[in-house]
């Protein structure tokens, strides 16, 4: 993967800015630390951005914590408590957390000009800081944390040079500078790369979905907060006026009892309607999801609670207008009436779906806007540019003027 590959895809200004900043940072050391090498959005992002940053001549490393189940149980609890849904951390849990952090920071060389610590798991690495800029990248929603747990962590976070959050409402009051940086998608990954019409058609055929009528699509885990039942209700309201199909695609959830329950409810509610297609998508089906998104007429993301909502960016990039819930990061991506519509109810979603189905020209124009919005704001190159500019700005924070 090379920066050059993004020419003609990412905004030219972003690429120029990256090249310029990289020139000044060339030969310097950068380190990213997280707690998993694969699975989850953080690892996925690091897999793509680390090689690109290296390609710019920056000596970047990515280190992963080594830990066993008890640590991950504690950090899962930590994670839930920070998201406001878990029990407070006990002394014993904190000891496990601290012990594993110690073992890991003794093992990992943290000497770098810029160190990025991802999420709470390796946050105590800051205790080992000797030099460089240290950034804490928070990927989770800590807007309403369980207080005691947050105060424990806050003492540590305050030692960083800056914190980075995905959405302003996810941030917390801290005495250090805070940056906002949204997640991004990689236009060259299997999930987002251009596909031929032929391939798209074949995927639809394989899933047994005729492309004979407009297709409404929601790709999501079967989770109550993604409101798949509400999506079916909206589809039924639309169906009175427009013949269309509804595709609900999501991962199988054998290890998630809640997922199975929601899936069952969805199947019951669909009630064998031949125009509702419920697809169980195995993991690593990126190309299939890509094709489903490309073949859809309108994409829905009727979440009632959301982190950033990467699926929205994925669909907008494929020139699909998206009708989505007004929660989490969705309003950053859906510009009302320009790239899609924000909705607050079943009826609202149905109304907007009808509006777009009745006006394909408008839908097409919105799709074009959608792609441009993602190009300018939510591609991986913009993420890299953000990292480099934060690094540069903090290195020169005593100067009155910083030339980026
Ligand atoms: N996704 C997937 N398979 C599925 C459902 C979702 O690969 O069955 C992908 C989807 O394309 C997106 C990510 O998982 O890249 C979901 O991220 P998002 O932020 O939309 O929601 P989350 O699941 O993290 O709440």
């Amino acid at each position: 993967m090379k920066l050059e590959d993004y020419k003609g895809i990412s905004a030219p200004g972003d690429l120029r800015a990256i090249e310029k900043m990289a020139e000044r940072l060339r030969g310097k050391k950068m380190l990213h630390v997280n707690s998993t090498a694969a699975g989850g959005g953080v690892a996925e992002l690091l897999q793509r951005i680390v090689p690109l940053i290296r390609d710019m001549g920056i000596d970047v490393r990515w280190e992963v914590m080594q830990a066993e189940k008890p640590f991950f149980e504690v950090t899962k609890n930590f994670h839930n408590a920070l998201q406001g849904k878990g029990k407070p951390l006990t002394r014993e849990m904190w000891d496990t957390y601290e012990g594993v952090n110690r073992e890991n920071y003794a093992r990992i060389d943290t000497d770098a000009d810029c160190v990025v610590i991802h999420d709470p798991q390796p946050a105590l690495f800051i205790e080992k800081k000797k030099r460089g800029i240290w950034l804490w990248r928070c990927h989770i929603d800590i807007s309403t944390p369980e207080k005691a747990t947050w105060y424990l962590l806050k003492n540590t976070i305050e030692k960083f040079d800056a914190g980075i959050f995905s959405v302003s409402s996810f941030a917390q009051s801290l005495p250090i500078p805070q940056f906002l940086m949204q997640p991004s998608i990689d236009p060259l990954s299997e999930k987002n790369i251009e596909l031929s019409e032929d391939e798209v058609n074949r995927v639809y055929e394989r899933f047994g979905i005729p492309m004979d009528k407009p297709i409404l699509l929601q790709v999501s885990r079967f989770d109550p907060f993604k409101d798949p039942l509400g999506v079916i209700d909206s589809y039924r309201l639309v169906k009175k006026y427009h013949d269309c199909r509804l595709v609900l695609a999501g991962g199988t959830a054998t290890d998630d009892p809640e997922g199975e329950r929601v899936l069952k409810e969805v199947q019951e509610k669909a009630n064998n309607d031949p125009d509702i297609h419920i697809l169980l998508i195995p993991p690593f089906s990126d190309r299939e999801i890509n094709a489903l998104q490309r073949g859809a007429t309108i994409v829905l993301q009727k979440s009632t609670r959301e982190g950033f909502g990467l699926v929205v960016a994925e669909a907008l990039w494929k020139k699909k207008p998206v009708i989505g819930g007004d929660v989490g990061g969705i309003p950053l991506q859906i510009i009302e009436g320009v790239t899609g519509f924000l909705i607050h109810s079943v009826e609202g979603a149905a109304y907007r779906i009808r509006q777009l189905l009745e006006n394909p020209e408008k839908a097409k124009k919105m799709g074009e806007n959608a792609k441009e919005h993602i190009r300018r704001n939510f591609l991986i190159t913009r993420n890299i540019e953000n990292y480099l500019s934060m690094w540069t700005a903090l290195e020169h924070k005593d100067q009155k003027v910083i030339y980026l």
Side-chain angles (χ1 to χ4, degrees):
M1 240 182 315
K2 291 193 159 50
L3 193 61
E4 226 177 74
D5 301 339
Y6 292 80
K7 285 205 170 120
I9 302 174
S10 294
D14 286 2
L15 296 176
R16 270 199 305 277
I18 293 176
E19 277 165 4
K20 242 181 133 204
M21 280 186 284
E23 245 167 57
R24 297 216 292 191
L25 296 169
R26 198 154 289 151
K28 290 203 179 199
K29 289 182 177 177
M30 187 182 206
L31 170 68
H32 288 265
V33 183
N34 81 324
S35 64
T36 163
V42 180
E44 201 170 300
L45 191 73
L46 287 173
Q47 275 159 17
R48 313 288 304 186
I49 67 169
V50 167
L52 277 174
I53 295 179
R54 185 168 301 131
D55 178 56
M56 291 163 210
I58 294 169
D59 179 9
V60 57
R61 280 180 299 133
W62 170 18
E63 296 281 359
V64 178
M65 292 180 88
Q66 279 174 8
E68 304 292 330
K69 212 168 160 217
F71 175 76
F72 290 116
E73 271 163 17
V74 169
T75 55
K76 175 87 198 183
N77 188 298
F78 210 157
H79 186 278
N80 287 342
L82 290 171
Q83 304 230 63
K85 284 183 291 182
K87 293 188 205 86
L89 224 62
T90 61
R91 182 74 240 174
E92 208 188 343
M93 287 175 174
W94 181 263
D95 289 346
T96 307
Y97 173 67
E98 197 171 21
V100 173
N101 264 272
R102 283 218 174 112
E103 278 161 35
N104 274 278
Y105 66 59
R107 182 179 62 81
I108 293 172
D109 169 15
T110 54
D111 180 63
D113 300 283
C114 177
V115 178
V116 186
I117 299 291
H118 294 265
D119 281 336
Q121 291 90 335
L124 291 181
F125 270 58
I126 188 69
E127 304 295 346
K128 217 191 148 188
K129 174 178 173 175
K130 288 213 181 69
R131 68 174 196 100
I133 304 293
W134 284 61
L135 302 168
W136 185 58
R137 172 59 169 126
C138 177
H139 295 271
I140 61 177
D141 175 355
I142 56 164
S143 50
T144 50
E146 191 284 309
K147 288 263 180 324
T149 309
W150 166 241
Y151 282 117
L152 266 177
L153 183 67
K154 188 170 179 256
N155 287 330
T156 300
I157 300 312
E158 289 176 0
K159 297 178 184 159
F160 282 84
D161 292 286
I164 310 172
F165 298 88
S166 296
V167 180
S168 58
S169 61
F170 292 3
Q172 274 286 337
S173 129
L174 284 167
I176 55 171
Q178 298 187 53
F179 293 101
L180 287 180
M181 178 168 94
Q182 283 89 37
S184 58
I185 61 164
D186 186 345
L188 298 180
S189 67
E190 291 278 285
K191 181 76 72 59
N192 298 307
I193 198 140
E194 287 287 339
L195 298 180
S196 67
E197 209 180 312
D198 217 42
E199 181 166 354
V200 172
N201 294 344
R202 266 185 282 126
V203 169
Y204 269 82
E205 207 177 300
R206 213 168 344 118
F207 282 120
I209 310 169
M211 298 177 89
D212 52 348
K213 351 177 163 170
I215 289 166
L216 315 177
L217 168 74
Q218 176 159 305
V219 176
S220 272
R221 291 178 291 108
F222 288 98
D223 178 314
F225 291 123
K226 309 283 183 186
D227 198 17
L229 298 175
V231 171
I232 296 182
D233 285 330
S234 300
Y235 153 84
R236 292 224 159 100
L237 290 176
V238 172
K239 189 82 169 171
K240 290 187 199 156
Y241 306 92
H242 286 278
D243 198 11
C244 57
R245 294 185 183 278
L246 172 65
V247 180
L248 288 168
T252 43
T254 40
D255 61 340
D256 175 4
E258 198 182 36
E260 280 196 0
R261 174 179 62 75
V262 176
L263 176 60
K264 223 166 139 229
E265 283 171 13
V266 168
Q267 280 161 337
E268 273 162 23
K269 191 163 183 114
N271 195 20
N272 295 321
D273 180 336
D275 289 347
I276 299 182
H277 304 264
I278 300 164
L279 309 182
L280 287 180
I281 311 274
F284 309 112
S285 303
D286 288 1
R287 234 175 147 95
E288 285 77 7
I289 290 177
N290 186 345
L292 287 172
Q293 289 167 329
R294 287 185 189 277
T297 316
I298 297 170
V299 170
L300 309 171
Q301 192 54 44
K302 211 194 152 303
S303 307
T304 53
R305 191 163 165 180
E306 191 54 82
F308 177 69
L310 271 177
V311 271
V312 174
E314 290 162 11
L316 293 172
W317 176 245
K318 290 158 191 136
K319 294 192 176 176
K320 303 300 162 183
V322 178
I323 296 174
D326 192 3
V327 287
I330 296 180
L332 298 172
Q333 306 178 64
I334 296 182
I335 306 172
E336 183 68 5
V338 178
T339 67
F341 291 107
L342 292 167
I343 47 93
H344 306 86
S345 65
V346 164
E347 293 75 16
Y351 171 73
R352 293 306 192 183
I353 296 168
R354 282 184 60 197
Q355 200 179 355
L356 288 179
L357 289 178
E358 273 155 27
N359 200 338
E361 271 311 303
K362 185 181 172 84
K364 186 162 180 265
K365 179 77 190 103
M366 282 180 127
E368 279 156 15
N369 297 339
K371 182 161 189 174
E372 279 317 302
H373 183 49
I374 299 301
R375 190 194 308 282
R376 286 184 203 170
N377 299 291
F378 301 108
L379 293 188
I380 187 173
T381 35
R382 197 263 312 139
N383 235 232
I384 292 173
E385 186 195 345
N386 288 163
Y387 273 125
L388 301 189
S389 47
M390 282 183 243
W391 177 2
T392 309
L394 288 167
E395 259 193 359
H396 298 90
K397 67 172 183 277
D398 300 329
Q399 292 177 10
K400 280 209 179 97
V401 179
I402 302 166
Y403 295 97
L404 289 179

